[in-house]
Amino acid sequence: MVRLLFLLLFLPLAVAAAPTPFGDTGKISGRVTDARNGDPLPGVNVVIDGTTQGAQTDIDGYYTILLIRPGTYTLRATFVGFASTVVENVRVQVDKTTRINIELAEEAIEGQEVVIVAERPVVEIDRTTTTAILDAEQLEALPVANINEAIGYQAGVVQSPNGDLHFRGGRSGEVAYLVNGVPINNAFSNTASFDVEQNMVQSLQVISGVFNAEYGQATSGVVNIVTKDVPREWSGNFLGYVGAVASNRSLPFLSRTTAPGQGLAAQAFQTESVSMSEAAAFPNVADLQVSLGGPILTDRLGIQLSGRYFRDESFLVARDLFATDDLSFTQTENGLSPGINSSNDPNAWLITSTGSGDFTSLNDTERISVNGTLAYTEGPFRLSYNAFIQDGTYQPYSHSAKYVPDGINTTSFFNQTHILGGRYSFGDRSFANLSYSYLRDESDSKLYDSPFDERHVAPQFGSQQGSFAFNIGGNDLGQGTSLTETHTIVADYTIQASRIHLMKTGAQVRFHRLNNIGFAIGSQQGFIAQPTDDPFANDTLDIAPFEFSAYIQDKMEFEGLIVNAGLRFDYFNPDYELPIDWVLGSELYVRDPDNPASTNAVCLDESVALSERQASCLFNRRDADPSFQLSPRLGVAFPISATGVMRFSAGLFFQTPPFSLIYTNPEFEVNPASSSSQFGNPELEPERTLSFEVGLQQGLTEALGLELTLFSKDVRNLTGQQIVRTSTGDFAVRFINRDYGTIRGFTFALFQRPRRDQALSWTLDYTLQFAEGTASSPGEAFGREQSGLDPILSLVRLDWDRRHSLNATATYAPSDLYSVSLVNRLLSGTPYTTERNQARSIRKNNDEKPIQLFTDLRVYVRPPFVQQDVQLFAEVRNLFDFQVENTVYEDTGTAEATAQQSRLEQTNTSPGGLNTLDEWFFRQDWYGAPRRVSLGLSFGF
């Protein structure tokens, strides 16, 4: 946190000295006519109130205003001899055209003004693909703690228990995340490098269908985030809340009936049942958000600062019974024997237990986020600077370490992203953008700062107990550091070439640098903790690959027809070498490429030091070839009635596999003591998806509408594994493009838009999806080989395939004094592979887990006796405290019981530790979150 506190002190100075992002924008267009006879009116001034943005109608009465940030505006049309017309509540969205047609009436009284309140149309005429757009108000109303949860509520998106997002059946990591038009994916994992906090977001765009050519390095979807711009007047906002678990679910825990100490008897421990409300931390969650901004120089220079502190203690609970260096013994005839086991008499156990006995949370997250924005405008020129800084920690849950929580590594993460952008407008019809961004994403997984810390304990401390028993000492013995730096340059040019054609072309260059280090912690005699000198337990990756892309696209807005067409080019250079003979792989077994029949004796001589052999055999490498591809995109929308629009879209999408796969085992080492060796592949080809979509939007009333979408995806060149037996009988495994899949389904949505004259608004959507493939993860093939299972040769259900998803939301807001929002989700279970009578099904994912039901509630109340903008709110997650099963035992299909326990009990098998079998087979991490109640307030100033 020290780094973040330092940056917090100096960020305002940095922001005041530098110029903030322009972000993605939309446009307003329409036609101005004479209210009396419908004739077009040329030369009418149409401007956005409070800004310098506007346009003049052409000879046919048409106008277009470009470069409008997402938000709600007031439009004013003025013309000599006609009454001014003001259109309020004009909503602008990213990449969309808001159509506002205006009728001007002749002026009867000098200064006369006509005010019209625009309603959001039920049918979006210019949308050619499946897109969900949430503005700041909608995000605020949802009971979510982060943007990922809001994305997971969208139709066609499945969020797995670990938080991964799957768009329309695709693997995780197939989504491009952009902030203000700049990609923020971490190239190593291909996930968002940081969480953009809700209070920083003006607009969230989720594209799960076919997306335009300007978006690349994604095969399943795009998440486009636009942050809040500098406000026109000084203003601020504060929001804070705390929450607690409110569930009577019972959890089994060991308790100690005596004081901490050494030589304790097994009878000093007993299992008790504790309610989740009692065991979970209080408060369980704390959230503080603040924002402040306004003009420094009117209409020229402005600033916006936002910050958030978030702490989630999770609902997964551990108990501090044992210290990492607690060492227990069994008393035998020959003295004391280290460790305890089910084969020993528990009366002979001497247990060391020096933990406090307090409950503590695992799987918890704590982070501080800061976003600073500064914008300077001078005529047609705009400079912008945006800084995102995030610092935090995360500690995972470990079932076996349930009673030694201090022995689990903590992950610390720190991210800073800076975006400097410039925009120049060439009149009212075209503009150019140029931006540079620097992303630095680093994380450390460690128990103590130094691997030489004497508090690390020997491996045997963690393996004192027998089977089906929790650890009674020990700690993680590994440490790793991951650093990803990316410099990105984005340039684009947009021109409204005519009333019909909005054309855009652009290019992007990304320079990456990855520096990852991972090592095990070993010991010398007497256990002096230090990084092990085993080269096969240590990995170092230091690379600098780069990407280039370019695109051109045209949005054609004909009368009664919208066409989005584009073409994209992508190039990737891995900047790495690979072995000529990958099966032999390491420098220990290589051949001279200039003389394939010969073998370097030094490389094969095991009497020569390993380091010397590695240094002298590098001729076995060659440079990896770069890859490139072309991606065409097409989307069409056309009306079929006065209130109905059909659409069709298709596109070819490519994505470079995550660097974590490309650079697996970066030193190409072969451990002679291991029966298998795995290698990355710098020449992995881009993964490919061919996507089709057909949709219908139909307005039933002015506020009620429906949408039907049918989609199909053909997925090829997915990363899988090639498995080869070496001459010694060992396995050589490397990643190649071999897996494929198919996804098809449809989504039906029925919704009622919020209107001023209606207190109730709601949405209902249902998705039927079939996601099948040859593998759910790149490493699945070798996992099956090691388990003695046959390879998958036909399409099977993917692990995250949900056949049925039903989402329903309702908001009741009869006045400004209060509102109630309810979110419901009913989901069919994901698949699993059954095991019956200790025989595993030969067909993978042949059955389905139990259904899941979620209900969340949020209530806002504005006290009528308070003049300030103050709101009190209450939020209840999992209102009915349904116990959702995310993972099940394969022999029963439920998380509650397993046939394995029954077999152990029938043979009178006892666990080799202090716990019962019931407690060991109870997995709290297999269940969803319990009911949690939060109370808070927000106020504007």
Side-chain angles (χ1 to χ4, degrees), residues 509-521:
V509 182
R510 303 192 79 194
F511 300 93
H512 305 285
R513 179 176 178 268
L514 281 74
N515 189 356
N516 298 345
I517 301 173
F519 54 85
I521 296 175

Side-chain angles (χ1 to χ4, degrees), residues 143-310:
V144 297
N146 55 60
I147 292 296
N148 268 8
E149 289 186 12
I151 297 170
Y153 280 124
Q154 307 311 308
V157 180
V158 172
Q159 186 169 22
S160 61
N162 65 1
D164 290 340
L165 295 172
H166 302 271
F167 282 51
R168 287 191 176 171
R171 290 180 176 179
S172 63
E174 295 183 352
V175 179
Y177 292 86
L178 297 95
V179 172
N180 298 332
V182 176
I184 62 166
N185 285 54
N186 181 309
F188 187 73
S189 62
N190 213 24
T191 58
S193 59
F194 64 95
D195 294 313
V196 181
E197 310 294 1
Q198 296 113 297
N199 67 320
M200 304 175 185
V201 177
Q202 177 61 40
S203 175
L204 170 66
Q205 181 188 36
V206 181
I207 307 175
S208 54
V210 177
F211 39 89
N212 287 342
E214 62 183 302
Y215 303 118
Q217 287 299 347
T219 53
S220 289
V222 172
V223 174
N224 194 8
I225 300 170
V226 179
T227 57
K228 292 181 179 178
D229 201 4
V230 174
R232 299 169 192 166
E233 298 180 355
W234 277 98
S235 60
N237 181 266
F238 169 83
L239 181 149
Y241 68 86
V242 294
V245 170
S247 172
N248 289 323
R249 297 186 198 175
S250 61
L251 302 174
F253 274 99
L254 275 178
S255 65
R256 190 175 52 216
T257 59
T258 64
Q262 299 179 349
L264 302 181
Q267 292 75 17
F269 300 87
Q270 64 183 18
T271 299
E272 63 177 350
S273 181
V274 181
S275 73
M276 188 169 283
S277 298
E278 178 185 350
F282 181 85
N284 184 256
V285 64
D287 194 345
L288 299 174
Q289 304 177 30
V290 63
S291 59
L292 176 67
I296 299 174
L297 299 175
T298 303
D299 295 332
R300 295 178 68 185
L301 179 65
I303 189 172
Q304 170 78 20
L305 291 172
S306 301
R308 185 186 191 190
Y309 169 80
F310 180 73

Side-chain angles (χ1 to χ4, degrees), residues 414-429:
F414 182 78
N415 177 280
Q416 53 177 314
T417 300
H418 305 268
I419 306 173
L420 177 64
R423 184 199 74 211
Y424 188 83
S425 298
F426 303 93
D428 297 334
R429 293 284 179 170

Side-chain angles (χ1 to χ4, degrees), residues 490-509:
V490 179
D492 60 69
Y493 175 71
T494 303
I495 180 171
Q496 187 76 48
S498 68
R499 181 171 56 85
I500 294 174
H501 295 276
L502 177 64
M503 305 186 69
K504 185 175 183 179
T505 184
Q508 175 181 285
V509 182

Side-chain angles (χ1 to χ4, degrees), residues 85-89 101-103 114-118:
T85 298
V86 175
V87 184
E88 298 177 340
N89 198 39
N101 294 325
I102 303 173
E103 291 183 345
V114 179
V115 178
I116 301 171
V117 179

Side-chain angles (χ1 to χ4, degrees), residues 674-697:
S674 175
S675 61
S676 64
S677 300
Q678 296 201 43
F679 307 101
N681 184 357
E683 288 188 339
L684 276 173
E685 297 178 10
E687 299 173 341
R688 190 201 75 175
T689 294
L690 181 62
S691 182
F692 299 91
E693 177 181 301
V694 177
L696 165 68
Q697 296 181 75

Side-chain angles (χ1 to χ4, degrees), residues 228-480:
K228 292 181 179 178
D229 201 4
V230 174
R232 299 169 192 166
E233 298 180 355
W234 277 98
S235 60
N237 181 266
F238 169 83
L239 181 149
Y241 68 86
V242 294
V245 170
S247 172
N248 289 323
R249 297 186 198 175
S250 61
L251 302 174
F253 274 99
L254 275 178
S255 65
R256 190 175 52 216
T257 59
T258 64
Q262 299 179 349
L264 302 181
Q267 292 75 17
F269 300 87
Q270 64 183 18
T271 299
E272 63 177 350
S273 181
V274 181
S275 73
M276 188 169 283
S277 298
E278 178 185 350
F282 181 85
N284 184 256
V285 64
D287 194 345
L288 299 174
Q289 304 177 30
V290 63
S291 59
L292 176 67
I296 299 174
L297 299 175
T298 303
D299 295 332
R300 295 178 68 185
L301 179 65
I303 189 172
Q304 170 78 20
L305 291 172
S306 301
R308 185 186 191 190
Y309 169 80
F310 180 73
R311 171 82 191 220
D312 186 349
E313 297 276 6
S314 177
F315 62 94
L316 300 177
V317 184
R319 195 170 204 170
D320 181 22
L321 280 183
F322 300 96
T324 57
D325 58 352
D326 283 351
L327 190 58
S328 299
F329 299 87
T330 297
Q331 194 168 18
T332 66
E333 295 180 357
N334 299 322
L336 298 180
S337 175
I340 61 177
N341 199 288
S342 58
S343 61
N344 301 323
D345 181 5
N347 293 318
W349 293 351
L350 300 175
I351 309 298
T352 301
S353 175
T354 62
S356 65
D358 295 335
F359 292 109
T360 184
S361 296
L362 292 179
N363 206 51
D364 59 329
T365 300
E366 181 180 26
R367 69 174 183 265
I368 296 179
S369 305
V370 177
N371 172 219
T373 297
L374 190 78
Y376 176 79
T377 303
E378 185 66 46
F381 185 60
R382 175 182 169 96
L383 281 176
S384 56
Y385 168 76
N386 197 268
F388 297 91
I389 300 170
Q390 196 165 86
D391 191 17
T393 59
Y394 166 74
Q395 188 178 33
Y397 177 81
S398 170
H399 182 63
S400 60
K402 179 179 176 180
Y403 296 113
V404 200
D406 289 342
I408 302 174
N409 279 5
T410 296
T411 298
S412 301
F413 53 88
F414 182 78
N415 177 280
Q416 53 177 314
T417 300
H418 305 268
I419 306 173
L420 177 64
R423 184 199 74 211
Y424 188 83
S425 298
F426 303 93
D428 297 334
R429 293 284 179 170
S430 65
F431 60 91
N433 292 316
L434 177 65
S435 71
Y436 162 78
S437 71
Y438 170 71
L439 181 153
R440 180 184 175 91
D441 188 9
E442 55 186 308
S443 63
D444 298 304
S445 176
K446 59 189 176 184
L447 191 61
Y448 307 111
D449 288 337
S450 171
F452 298 94
D453 195 303
E454 61 184 14
R455 289 173 292 178
H456 285 108
V457 298
Q460 60 264 29
F461 279 68
S463 57
Q464 306 171 62
Q465 64 289 325
S467 302
F468 314 112
F470 297 99
N471 294 351
I472 54 175
N475 54 239
D476 290 342
L477 288 169
Q479 191 163 317

